[in-house]
Amino acid sequence: APDLTLHAPIAANQAQLYRLSGDYNPLHVDPVAAQHGGFEAPILHGLCTYGLCAQLLLGALCDGDPQRFGTLRARFSAPVLPGDVLHVVAWHDGPGRVLFEARVGDRAVVSHASFDYR
């Protein structure tokens, strides 16, 4: 069983909000571009998913203190869609380190991941 189980609902407009950071790839907001790319609907930018994992872990393990953030490593395994619920499960792997996976339902969307913190 995981040592931590965290959840974050992804807002339906999260991809549009993420565009404010400079992501102008139409794959993330345009249904036609997403279908052309092989997806049923626009997908969430991978770095947005990465950031949500980091935010959840930082909040749970470091009281939200960014000074305690060390390193986050991850493999993107499957796309996340706006409106999904992101579930992060983590296992302690020594002091200041967890191994984790992010899932949408039963599907791993981030795998082979670790978070090091102070």
Side-chain angles (χ1 to χ4, degrees):
D3 297 317
L4 290 170
T5 302
L6 310 165
H7 310 282
I10 309 299
N13 67 343
Q14 184 63 54
Q16 288 88 352
L17 291 173
Y18 197 77
R19 282 179 76 84
L20 298 173
S21 71
D23 168 40
Y24 299 113
N25 186 336
L27 180 69
H28 304 296
V29 294
D30 182 357
V32 174
Q35 288 176 353
H36 184 59
F39 301 100
E40 294 180 21
I43 62 172
L44 194 62
H45 194 288
L47 287 177
C48 187
T49 301
Y50 182 91
L52 289 166
C53 290
Q55 181 182 25
L56 286 170
L57 292 165
L58 190 67
L61 297 167
C62 304
D63 297 321
D65 182 358
Q67 295 294 325
R68 296 180 60 195
F69 192 98
T71 305
L72 191 140
R73 293 180 177 92
R75 177 185 180 269
F76 298 111
S77 303
V80 174
L81 301 176
D84 283 344
V85 176
L86 187 68
H87 302 275
V88 173
V89 291
W91 298 265
H92 292 287
D93 187 44
R97 180 179 173 83
V98 293
L99 304 177
F100 75 94
E101 180 176 273
R103 303 174 182 160
V104 170
D106 291 336
R107 179 173 48 96
V109 296
V110 172
S111 61
H112 301 89
S114 64
F115 175 57
D116 297 296
Y117 58 96
R118 297 180 268 295

